[in-house]
Amino acid sequence: LKNETYRRNLASLDSFVMVKFAQDSFVQPIESQWFGFYAKGQDREVIPLRESAMYHEDWLGLKTLDRSGRLHFLTCDADHLKFTSQWFIEHVIPVLVGQ
């Protein structure tokens, strides 16, 4: 969905952290947690965010964030939203405070 307000608002963030849960049993495809999607017409091949038209045409501002170093891809080796406070402190907080 192309929405200029969404694009402008998302692109204005200081930092956007995306967490992919590597053992996710809920979200499919797992890569969609990083805005990856199945290729059209099937459910096997996943098109990564950076190869999608959404990214190249910057529909949501993700390309703007990425090119300026404000888009962050993290992986947690756990099931859906099963991160610990310690994992969050060690991995997400440093990204948000720029360390």
XYZ file of all heavy atoms in Angstrom:
824
model
N 0.845 -1.185 0.000
C 0.000 0.000 0.000
C 0.878 1.231 0.000
O 1.735 1.380 0.871
C -0.905 -0.026 1.231
C -1.818 1.163 1.419
C -2.855 1.237 0.315
C -2.510 1.058 2.759
N 0.692 2.100 -0.930
C 1.457 3.336 -1.009
C 0.674 4.428 -0.290
O -0.439 4.752 -0.662
C 1.701 3.724 -2.456
C 2.527 2.706 -3.211
C 2.673 3.091 -4.666
C 3.357 2.003 -5.436
N 3.467 2.297 -6.851
N 1.282 4.968 0.756
C 0.637 6.005 1.548
C 1.712 7.004 1.946
O 2.606 6.682 2.737
C -0.034 5.383 2.779
C -0.774 6.400 3.619
O -0.227 7.424 3.999
N -2.023 6.097 3.925
N 1.652 8.195 1.422
C 2.684 9.203 1.654
C 2.822 9.557 3.137
O 3.930 9.790 3.624
C 2.410 10.459 0.832
C 3.453 11.538 0.997
C 4.873 11.095 0.646
O 5.036 10.198 -0.200
O 5.828 11.646 1.223
N 1.719 9.590 3.860
C 1.793 9.899 5.290
C 2.558 8.812 6.035
O 3.421 9.109 6.871
C 0.377 10.066 5.888
O -0.288 11.117 5.188
C 0.442 10.403 7.366
N 2.268 7.540 5.748
C 3.004 6.436 6.373
C 4.492 6.540 6.034
O 5.356 6.395 6.892
C 2.493 5.078 5.899
C 1.118 4.693 6.366
C 0.459 3.623 5.775
C 0.458 5.366 7.393
C -0.813 3.236 6.187
C -0.804 4.989 7.805
C -1.433 3.922 7.203
O -2.684 3.539 7.610
N 4.786 6.763 4.754
C 6.175 6.843 4.315
C 6.906 7.973 5.025
O 7.987 7.792 5.571
C 6.255 7.043 2.800
C 7.680 6.873 2.245
C 7.881 7.548 0.901
N 7.762 8.990 0.990
C 8.678 9.787 1.560
N 9.747 9.295 2.097
N 8.494 11.084 1.587
N 6.308 9.125 5.057
C 6.927 10.290 5.684
C 7.142 10.058 7.184
O 8.210 10.337 7.729
C 6.070 11.533 5.435
C 6.679 12.827 5.922
C 5.859 14.067 5.555
N 4.447 13.955 5.885
C 3.459 13.782 4.992
N 3.720 13.717 3.706
N 2.210 13.693 5.382
N 6.125 9.510 7.860
C 6.237 9.274 9.300
C 7.283 8.213 9.624
O 8.096 8.396 10.546
C 4.884 8.879 9.893
C 3.905 10.030 9.943
O 4.279 11.197 9.846
N 2.637 9.709 10.074
N 7.285 7.122 8.887
C 8.261 6.069 9.153
C 9.671 6.559 8.841
O 10.607 6.324 9.611
C 7.931 4.820 8.328
C 8.554 3.522 8.792
C 8.126 3.165 10.206
C 8.160 2.385 7.858
N 9.828 7.268 7.745
C 11.148 7.773 7.350
C 11.681 8.823 8.317
O 12.883 9.092 8.334
C 11.088 8.341 5.929
N 10.823 9.374 9.140
C 11.267 10.401 10.090
C 11.782 9.818 11.406
O 12.293 10.559 12.243
C 10.123 11.378 10.378
O 9.140 10.770 11.208
N 11.668 8.501 11.579
C 12.136 7.881 12.822
C 13.644 8.018 12.976
O 14.389 8.002 11.998
C 11.770 6.398 12.845
C 10.292 6.046 12.881
C 10.116 4.529 12.749
C 9.651 6.555 14.161
N 14.091 8.121 14.213
C 15.527 8.124 14.489
C 16.123 6.745 14.258
O 17.279 6.622 13.849
C 15.804 8.551 15.939
C 15.469 10.004 16.198
O 15.535 10.820 15.255
O 15.133 10.323 17.347
N 15.343 5.713 14.535
C 15.814 4.335 14.391
C 14.601 3.416 14.291
O 13.600 3.636 14.971
C 16.653 3.955 15.608
O 17.358 2.778 15.400
N 14.713 2.389 13.442
C 13.654 1.399 13.301
C 14.301 0.026 13.405
O 15.116 -0.349 12.568
C 12.938 1.574 11.966
C 11.770 0.650 11.738
C 10.796 0.475 12.700
C 11.628 -0.033 10.544
C 9.704 -0.366 12.487
C 10.545 -0.876 10.313
C 9.588 -1.040 11.293
N 13.962 -0.701 14.470
C 14.538 -2.006 14.730
C 13.514 -3.080 14.377
O 12.403 -3.066 14.889
C 14.953 -2.153 16.211
C 15.507 -3.536 16.486
C 15.956 -1.073 16.603
N 13.935 -4.012 13.491
C 13.089 -5.138 13.139
C 13.725 -6.397 13.710
O 14.915 -6.635 13.512
C 12.965 -5.265 11.623
C 12.339 -4.049 10.975
S 12.091 -4.258 9.192
C 13.768 -4.376 8.598
N 12.929 -7.188 14.420
C 13.436 -8.420 15.022
C 12.776 -9.605 14.341
O 11.554 -9.715 14.314
C 13.168 -8.459 16.544
C 13.654 -9.765 17.133
C 13.815 -7.266 17.241
N 13.621 -10.474 13.802
C 13.145 -11.726 13.201
C 13.381 -12.839 14.221
O 14.489 -13.009 14.713
C 13.903 -12.020 11.911
C 13.511 -13.339 11.263
C 14.153 -13.529 9.898
C 15.637 -13.731 10.025
N 16.277 -14.067 8.738
N 12.316 -13.573 14.546
C 12.418 -14.696 15.469
C 12.682 -15.954 14.650
O 11.792 -16.464 13.961
C 11.155 -14.807 16.320
C 11.019 -13.635 17.255
C 10.380 -12.480 16.866
C 11.602 -13.688 18.515
C 10.297 -11.388 17.715
C 11.520 -12.602 19.371
C 10.871 -11.441 18.972
N 13.913 -16.452 14.718
C 14.381 -17.527 13.839
C 13.620 -18.837 14.011
O 13.562 -19.641 13.080
C 15.872 -17.754 14.059
N 13.024 -19.065 15.157
C 12.275 -20.297 15.412
C 10.764 -20.043 15.437
O 10.013 -20.810 16.033
C 12.720 -20.909 16.756
C 14.203 -21.128 16.893
C 14.785 -22.006 15.813
O 14.181 -23.004 15.433
N 15.940 -21.617 15.301
N 10.333 -18.984 14.808
C 8.927 -18.570 14.870
C 7.992 -19.654 14.343
O 8.152 -20.142 13.234
C 8.719 -17.276 14.083
C 7.506 -16.507 14.556
O 6.436 -17.119 14.711
O 7.641 -15.294 14.786
N 7.007 -20.022 15.150
C 6.009 -21.014 14.742
C 4.672 -20.348 14.406
O 3.696 -21.027 14.117
C 5.803 -22.035 15.865
O 5.331 -21.393 17.037
N 4.633 -19.027 14.421
C 3.393 -18.293 14.207
C 3.419 -17.508 12.895
O 2.508 -17.624 12.087
C 3.150 -17.357 15.396
C 1.870 -16.601 15.337
C 0.663 -17.233 15.582
C 1.860 -15.254 15.030
C -0.538 -16.537 15.523
C 0.670 -14.553 14.963
C -0.534 -15.190 15.217
N 4.437 -16.702 12.676
C 4.523 -15.834 11.501
C 5.175 -16.604 10.351
O 6.249 -17.174 10.502
C 5.336 -14.563 11.815
C 5.533 -13.724 10.559
C 4.660 -13.748 12.906
N 4.505 -16.607 9.205
C 5.035 -17.264 8.008
C 4.855 -16.348 6.813
O 3.769 -15.794 6.643
C 4.318 -18.591 7.760
C 4.524 -19.607 8.846
C 5.975 -20.000 9.032
O 6.706 -20.180 8.055
N 6.420 -20.110 10.265
N 5.835 -16.148 5.984
C 7.183 -16.631 6.177
C 7.890 -15.832 7.271
O 7.576 -14.655 7.497
C 7.856 -16.396 4.823
C 7.158 -15.189 4.274
C 5.727 -15.318 4.758
N 8.827 -16.462 7.912
C 9.570 -15.796 8.991
C 10.195 -14.498 8.486
O 10.241 -13.503 9.203
C 10.632 -16.759 9.575
C 9.930 -17.862 10.389
C 11.646 -16.017 10.428
C 10.849 -18.952 10.898
N 10.631 -14.482 7.243
C 11.272 -13.292 6.664
C 10.344 -12.086 6.588
O 10.798 -10.958 6.413
C 11.822 -13.613 5.269
C 12.931 -14.633 5.269
C 12.446 -16.088 5.318
O 11.216 -16.330 5.292
O 13.298 -16.972 5.385
N 9.037 -12.315 6.728
C 8.113 -11.174 6.700
C 8.304 -10.281 7.917
O 7.881 -9.120 7.914
C 6.662 -11.641 6.582
O 6.246 -12.330 7.737
N 8.968 -10.796 8.945
C 9.283 -9.962 10.100
C 10.305 -8.883 9.744
O 10.481 -7.923 10.484
C 9.790 -10.843 11.250
C 8.694 -11.789 11.734
C 9.207 -12.873 12.633
O 9.182 -12.732 13.844
N 9.684 -13.956 12.029
N 10.965 -9.060 8.612
C 11.876 -8.067 8.039
C 11.313 -7.563 6.710
O 12.039 -7.144 5.836
C 13.249 -8.676 7.784
C 14.115 -8.897 8.973
C 13.907 -8.524 10.269
C 15.376 -9.572 8.950
N 14.950 -8.923 11.044
C 15.877 -9.571 10.266
C 16.127 -10.172 7.953
C 17.099 -10.135 10.606
C 17.337 -10.744 8.291
C 17.813 -10.717 9.597
N 10.000 -7.615 6.535
C 9.298 -7.163 5.334
C 9.633 -7.975 4.087
O 9.481 -7.489 2.977
C 9.520 -5.669 5.075
C 8.758 -4.771 6.014
C 9.317 -4.371 7.220
C 7.491 -4.330 5.698
C 8.629 -3.545 8.095
C 6.792 -3.507 6.565
C 7.364 -3.112 7.764
N 10.070 -9.213 4.245
C 10.226 -10.109 3.110
C 8.869 -10.744 2.821
O 8.039 -10.875 3.723
N 8.631 -11.122 1.582
C 7.343 -11.702 1.201
C 7.549 -12.833 0.210
O 8.537 -12.868 -0.502
C 6.433 -10.643 0.562
C 6.076 -9.532 1.491
C 6.778 -8.332 1.454
C 5.062 -9.678 2.420
C 6.458 -7.303 2.329
C 4.741 -8.651 3.303
C 5.444 -7.465 3.253
N 6.570 -13.738 0.163
C 6.600 -14.778 -0.855
C 6.547 -14.134 -2.236
O 5.875 -13.122 -2.442
C 5.395 -15.720 -0.722
C 5.445 -16.635 0.476
C 4.408 -16.669 1.389
C 6.522 -17.495 0.668
C 4.439 -17.522 2.485
C 6.566 -18.356 1.758
C 5.525 -18.361 2.664
O 5.562 -19.198 3.734
N 7.249 -14.757 -3.179
C 7.148 -14.323 -4.564
C 5.707 -14.546 -5.019
O 5.026 -15.462 -4.548
C 8.125 -15.097 -5.436
N 5.260 -13.733 -5.916
C 3.877 -13.775 -6.382
C 3.472 -15.155 -6.898
O 4.200 -15.785 -7.654
C 3.681 -12.738 -7.483
C 2.249 -12.565 -7.908
C 2.105 -11.451 -8.922
C 0.665 -11.286 -9.327
N 0.487 -10.182 -10.254
N 2.321 -15.620 -6.428
C 1.727 -16.837 -6.943
C 2.203 -18.131 -6.332
O 1.846 -19.197 -6.813
N 3.008 -18.076 -5.275
C 3.486 -19.320 -4.666
C 3.831 -19.079 -3.193
O 3.747 -17.963 -2.716
C 4.661 -19.900 -5.451
C 5.787 -18.921 -5.748
C 6.743 -18.765 -4.600
O 7.217 -19.725 -4.028
N 7.017 -17.532 -4.224
N 4.210 -20.142 -2.490
C 4.491 -20.001 -1.057
C 5.806 -20.672 -0.654
O 5.927 -21.240 0.420
C 3.336 -20.563 -0.229
C 3.141 -22.059 -0.410
O 3.840 -22.665 -1.252
O 2.293 -22.620 0.294
N 6.810 -20.555 -1.520
C 8.124 -21.143 -1.213
C 9.239 -20.109 -1.283
O 9.995 -19.958 -0.349
C 8.417 -22.297 -2.160
C 7.529 -23.487 -1.897
C 8.172 -24.756 -2.393
N 7.359 -25.890 -1.949
C 6.809 -26.749 -2.755
N 6.983 -26.644 -4.055
N 6.089 -27.741 -2.279
N 9.348 -19.443 -2.433
C 10.425 -18.473 -2.622
C 10.064 -17.160 -1.913
O 8.986 -16.611 -2.113
C 10.647 -18.201 -4.109
C 11.737 -17.187 -4.367
C 11.807 -16.752 -5.825
O 11.001 -17.229 -6.640
O 12.660 -15.910 -6.119
N 11.006 -16.675 -1.119
C 10.797 -15.416 -0.407
C 11.649 -14.331 -1.061
O 12.837 -14.537 -1.327
C 11.167 -15.556 1.088
C 11.060 -14.220 1.791
C 10.277 -16.597 1.756
N 11.019 -13.207 -1.319
C 11.726 -12.044 -1.849
C 12.137 -11.183 -0.659
O 11.279 -10.664 0.059
C 10.825 -11.224 -2.801
C 10.241 -12.110 -3.909
C 11.583 -10.024 -3.360
C 11.264 -12.769 -4.789
N 13.439 -11.025 -0.422
C 13.883 -10.193 0.695
C 13.495 -8.729 0.497
O 13.312 -8.271 -0.644
C 15.403 -10.335 0.692
C 15.700 -11.528 -0.156
C 14.560 -11.640 -1.130
N 13.374 -8.013 1.580
C 12.982 -6.602 1.535
C 13.776 -5.828 0.495
O 13.193 -5.136 -0.348
C 13.166 -5.955 2.915
C 13.039 -4.430 2.953
C 11.628 -4.003 2.577
C 13.444 -3.892 4.296
N 15.093 -5.915 0.553
C 15.938 -5.090 -0.315
C 15.824 -5.436 -1.799
O 16.347 -4.715 -2.639
C 17.391 -5.174 0.142
C 17.626 -4.442 1.457
C 19.075 -4.522 1.861
N 19.350 -3.734 3.043
C 19.971 -4.196 4.117
N 20.375 -5.466 4.157
N 20.193 -3.413 5.149
N 15.137 -6.525 -2.122
C 14.915 -6.898 -3.526
C 13.485 -6.599 -3.974
O 13.124 -6.875 -5.118
C 15.223 -8.380 -3.727
C 16.682 -8.721 -3.512
C 16.967 -10.202 -3.631
O 16.136 -10.940 -4.205
O 18.029 -10.617 -3.129
N 12.678 -6.026 -3.097
C 11.261 -5.801 -3.405
C 11.020 -4.425 -4.018
O 11.780 -3.475 -3.799
C 10.428 -5.926 -2.123
O 10.692 -4.841 -1.254
N 9.927 -4.336 -4.776
C 9.515 -3.044 -5.335
C 9.172 -2.078 -4.208
O 9.457 -0.874 -4.313
C 8.318 -3.226 -6.261
N 8.596 -2.589 -3.132
C 8.245 -1.742 -1.984
C 9.475 -0.997 -1.470
O 9.406 0.179 -1.125
C 7.636 -2.590 -0.867
C 7.312 -1.807 0.380
S 6.645 -2.820 1.701
C 8.051 -3.818 2.136
N 10.615 -1.706 -1.437
C 11.869 -1.096 -0.979
C 12.428 -0.147 -2.041
O 12.726 1.007 -1.759
C 12.886 -2.186 -0.658
C 14.216 -1.661 -0.183
C 14.417 -1.345 1.154
C 15.275 -1.497 -1.071
C 15.642 -0.869 1.591
C 16.500 -1.028 -0.639
C 16.680 -0.716 0.695
O 17.895 -0.239 1.127
N 12.557 -0.638 -3.273
C 13.168 0.162 -4.337
C 12.395 1.445 -4.624
O 13.005 2.480 -4.920
C 13.346 -0.675 -5.612
C 14.452 -1.663 -5.482
N 15.771 -1.339 -5.610
C 14.426 -2.985 -5.181
C 16.521 -2.398 -5.409
N 15.723 -3.423 -5.146
N 11.076 1.379 -4.513
C 10.247 2.569 -4.745
C 9.977 3.323 -3.447
O 9.282 4.333 -3.460
C 8.946 2.151 -5.428
C 9.184 1.546 -6.807
C 7.924 0.974 -7.434
O 6.802 1.332 -6.993
O 8.063 0.160 -8.373
N 10.502 2.816 -2.347
C 10.428 3.435 -1.016
C 9.002 3.752 -0.577
O 8.711 4.812 -0.050
C 11.304 4.696 -0.954
C 11.836 4.947 0.451
O 11.802 4.031 1.295
O 12.288 6.083 0.708
N 8.103 2.778 -0.761
C 6.697 2.965 -0.428
C 6.486 3.335 1.029
O 5.563 4.095 1.351
C 5.887 1.707 -0.712
C 5.843 1.270 -2.142
C 6.352 1.923 -3.234
C 5.264 0.068 -2.637
N 6.129 1.197 -4.372
C 5.458 0.051 -4.037
C 4.607 -0.981 -2.040
C 5.004 -0.985 -4.842
C 4.164 -2.028 -2.844
C 4.356 -2.018 -4.228
N 7.277 2.754 1.937
C 7.077 2.971 3.378
C 8.191 3.785 4.036
O 8.168 3.993 5.237
C 6.949 1.627 4.109
C 5.745 0.780 3.747
C 5.815 -0.573 4.446
C 4.457 1.498 4.122
N 9.177 4.190 3.282
C 10.298 4.924 3.867
C 11.408 4.029 4.379
O 12.378 4.516 4.963
N 11.294 2.718 4.151
C 12.311 1.791 4.651
C 13.651 1.980 3.939
O 14.711 1.873 4.556
C 11.824 0.349 4.514
C 10.594 0.004 5.361
C 10.076 -1.381 5.007
C 10.903 0.112 6.841
N 13.624 2.275 2.656
C 14.864 2.519 1.915
C 15.547 3.776 2.445
O 16.770 3.793 2.624
C 14.573 2.652 0.418
C 15.796 2.847 -0.437
C 15.393 2.896 -1.906
C 16.570 3.117 -2.806
N 16.136 3.184 -4.224
N 14.775 4.793 2.721
C 15.322 6.023 3.286
C 15.997 5.736 4.621
O 17.118 6.191 4.875
C 14.202 7.076 3.469
O 13.654 7.395 2.187
C 14.719 8.332 4.139
N 15.303 4.981 5.473
C 15.882 4.610 6.769
C 17.155 3.790 6.583
O 18.168 4.033 7.251
C 14.871 3.810 7.592
C 13.698 4.575 8.180
C 12.653 3.603 8.719
C 14.169 5.515 9.274
N 17.115 2.819 5.689
C 18.243 1.928 5.461
C 19.458 2.697 4.959
O 20.564 2.549 5.483
C 17.836 0.841 4.464
C 18.786 -0.334 4.417
O 19.570 -0.537 5.375
O 18.724 -1.083 3.425
N 19.257 3.518 3.983
C 20.379 4.264 3.382
C 21.023 5.243 4.365
O 22.183 5.604 4.195
C 19.915 4.992 2.138
C 19.601 4.026 1.012
C 20.041 4.574 -0.287
N 20.025 3.549 -1.310
C 19.783 3.794 -2.568
N 19.515 5.020 -2.962
N 19.817 2.820 -3.444
N 20.281 5.649 5.373
C 20.835 6.588 6.360
C 21.298 5.877 7.632
O 21.635 6.530 8.616
C 19.802 7.667 6.704
O 18.665 7.078 7.317
N 21.287 4.535 7.617
C 21.779 3.769 8.758
C 20.818 3.678 9.924
O 21.216 3.328 11.043
N 19.536 3.955 9.672
C 18.549 3.943 10.753
C 17.630 2.723 10.733
O 16.753 2.601 11.586
C 17.707 5.226 10.704
C 18.541 6.477 10.955
C 17.722 7.750 10.820
N 17.367 7.945 9.411
C 16.223 8.474 8.990
N 15.304 8.872 9.851
N 15.985 8.624 7.703
N 17.828 1.805 9.781
C 17.053 0.568 9.695
C 17.938 -0.569 10.177
O 19.045 -0.763 9.674
C 16.594 0.311 8.264
C 15.724 -0.919 8.032
C 14.402 -0.797 8.790
C 15.467 -1.113 6.540
N 17.456 -1.304 11.166
C 18.274 -2.330 11.808
C 17.565 -3.678 11.771
O 16.391 -3.781 12.107
C 18.564 -1.938 13.255
C 19.148 -0.569 13.366
N 20.482 -0.319 13.180
C 18.562 0.633 13.600
C 20.702 0.976 13.311
N 19.556 1.577 13.563
N 18.296 -4.707 11.360
C 17.807 -6.071 11.250
C 18.448 -6.910 12.361
O 19.660 -7.114 12.349
C 18.215 -6.674 9.901
C 17.666 -5.962 8.692
C 18.246 -4.795 8.221
C 16.582 -6.485 8.008
C 17.754 -4.151 7.096
C 16.078 -5.851 6.880
C 16.659 -4.679 6.425
N 17.657 -7.368 13.311
C 18.154 -8.227 14.379
C 17.466 -9.580 14.286
O 16.322 -9.681 13.848
C 17.867 -7.622 15.755
C 18.485 -6.260 16.067
C 18.106 -5.827 17.474
C 19.987 -6.290 15.894
N 18.168 -10.613 14.728
C 17.601 -11.953 14.776
C 17.681 -12.466 16.199
O 18.720 -12.362 16.847
C 18.361 -12.920 13.857
O 18.298 -12.426 12.515
C 17.762 -14.308 13.899
N 16.576 -13.016 16.674
C 16.513 -13.648 17.982
C 16.240 -15.134 17.741
O 15.275 -15.479 17.061
C 15.393 -13.033 18.819
S 15.252 -13.709 20.477
N 17.089 -15.999 18.270
C 16.936 -17.437 18.049
C 15.900 -17.989 19.025
O 16.231 -18.691 19.983
C 18.280 -18.146 18.218
C 18.216 -19.586 17.758
O 17.343 -19.909 16.929
O 19.037 -20.391 18.234
N 14.643 -17.649 18.776
C 13.548 -18.045 19.667
C 12.252 -18.100 18.871
O 12.203 -17.720 17.709
C 13.418 -17.043 20.809
N 11.195 -18.575 19.530
C 9.867 -18.596 18.937
C 9.262 -17.197 19.014
O 9.832 -16.280 19.626
C 8.979 -19.618 19.663
C 7.738 -20.020 18.871
O 7.506 -19.476 17.768
O 6.991 -20.878 19.368
N 8.120 -17.029 18.440
C 7.428 -15.748 18.301
C 7.381 -14.945 19.607
O 6.770 -15.371 20.585
C 6.004 -16.013 17.791
C 5.259 -14.782 17.415
N 5.595 -14.044 16.310
C 4.216 -14.163 17.995
C 4.766 -13.019 16.219
N 3.926 -13.069 17.224
N 8.036 -13.798 19.600
C 8.068 -12.853 20.719
C 8.576 -13.461 22.027
O 8.254 -12.964 23.105
C 6.688 -12.218 20.934
C 6.144 -11.416 19.757
C 4.732 -10.933 20.047
C 7.054 -10.244 19.428
N 9.403 -14.490 21.953
C 9.910 -15.161 23.148
C 11.319 -14.684 23.509
O 12.185 -15.462 23.860
C 9.914 -16.686 22.946
C 8.554 -17.272 22.694
C 7.650 -17.120 23.885
C 6.318 -17.796 23.595
N 5.329 -17.571 24.590
N 11.536 -13.383 23.440
C 12.830 -12.854 23.847
C 12.812 -12.569 25.351
O 11.764 -12.347 25.940
C 13.185 -11.579 23.070
C 12.206 -10.455 23.237
C 12.341 -9.537 24.258
C 11.143 -10.312 22.352
C 11.443 -8.492 24.412
C 10.236 -9.277 22.487
C 10.390 -8.366 23.533
N 13.996 -12.595 25.935
C 14.112 -12.290 27.359
C 14.425 -10.808 27.532
O 14.868 -10.138 26.585
C 15.238 -13.105 28.006
O 16.483 -12.720 27.398
C 15.008 -14.609 27.840
N 14.218 -10.320 28.716
C 14.593 -8.929 29.017
C 16.077 -8.731 28.771
O 16.493 -7.691 28.243
C 14.261 -8.586 30.469
O 12.885 -8.655 30.685
N 16.877 -9.730 29.134
C 18.327 -9.637 28.938
C 18.677 -9.530 27.459
O 19.532 -8.739 27.062
C 19.033 -10.839 29.570
C 20.531 -10.715 29.584
C 21.012 -9.547 30.432
O 20.422 -9.238 31.461
N 22.064 -8.886 29.983
N 18.020 -10.338 26.606
C 18.276 -10.251 25.165
C 17.934 -8.849 24.659
O 18.695 -8.249 23.896
C 17.454 -11.304 24.399
C 17.779 -11.324 22.941
C 18.734 -12.078 22.331
C 17.187 -10.518 21.914
N 18.774 -11.798 20.981
C 17.832 -10.836 20.696
C 16.185 -9.564 21.897
C 17.501 -10.228 19.495
C 15.843 -8.950 20.693
C 16.498 -9.288 19.508
N 16.801 -8.316 25.085
C 16.383 -6.983 24.665
C 17.412 -5.933 25.094
O 17.805 -5.079 24.305
C 15.000 -6.659 25.257
C 14.392 -5.407 24.721
C 13.639 -5.431 23.560
C 14.572 -4.195 25.371
C 13.066 -4.271 23.058
C 14.009 -3.029 24.879
C 13.258 -3.072 23.715
N 17.848 -6.017 26.321
C 18.836 -5.064 26.853
C 20.154 -5.168 26.075
O 20.765 -4.154 25.736
C 19.050 -5.295 28.363
C 17.794 -4.869 29.133
C 20.284 -4.569 28.869
C 17.742 -5.358 30.570
N 20.584 -6.390 25.781
C 21.865 -6.594 25.108
C 21.838 -6.275 23.614
O 22.858 -5.878 23.054
C 22.328 -8.040 25.290
C 22.756 -8.359 26.702
C 23.131 -9.824 26.890
O 23.150 -10.592 25.899
O 23.392 -10.200 28.048
N 20.691 -6.442 22.963
C 20.643 -6.309 21.504
C 19.876 -5.091 20.988
O 20.316 -4.459 20.030
C 20.065 -7.587 20.885
C 20.933 -8.767 21.116
N 20.811 -9.590 22.204
C 21.965 -9.257 20.404
C 21.722 -10.535 22.149
N 22.437 -10.354 21.063
N 18.736 -4.797 21.568
C 17.907 -3.703 21.049
C 18.325 -2.355 21.630
O 18.500 -1.390 20.875
C 16.403 -3.979 21.319
C 15.555 -2.812 20.845
C 15.972 -5.268 20.620
N 18.497 -2.289 22.924
C 18.838 -1.003 23.558
C 20.103 -0.372 22.950
O 20.082 0.822 22.623
C 18.967 -1.155 25.089
C 17.634 -1.600 25.713
C 19.474 0.135 25.727
C 16.480 -0.631 25.539
N 21.182 -1.129 22.749
C 22.372 -0.500 22.143
C 22.093 0.112 20.770
O 22.654 1.160 20.430
C 23.373 -1.643 22.041
C 22.971 -2.582 23.114
C 21.469 -2.498 23.151
N 21.231 -0.517 19.979
C 20.887 0.043 18.676
C 20.133 1.354 18.853
O 20.408 2.349 18.165
C 20.037 -0.953 17.859
C 19.512 -0.312 16.581
C 20.849 -2.206 17.535
N 19.215 1.384 19.787
C 18.392 2.572 19.982
C 19.166 3.749 20.555
O 18.842 4.898 20.285
C 17.191 2.247 20.885
C 16.192 1.251 20.296
C 15.099 0.955 21.310
C 15.600 1.769 18.993
N 20.199 3.456 21.332
C 21.002 4.557 21.915
C 22.269 4.816 21.122
O 23.088 5.642 21.502
C 21.310 4.319 23.412
C 20.046 4.266 24.231
C 22.161 3.093 23.628
N 22.434 4.080 20.010
C 23.545 4.349 19.102
C 24.887 3.819 19.556
O 25.916 4.426 19.273
N 24.906 2.685 20.253
C 26.200 2.124 20.686
C 26.573 0.941 19.854
O 25.829 0.204 19.368
C 26.116 1.695 22.153
C 25.899 2.882 23.055
C 25.792 2.461 24.526
O 25.708 1.292 24.848
N 25.773 3.435 25.386
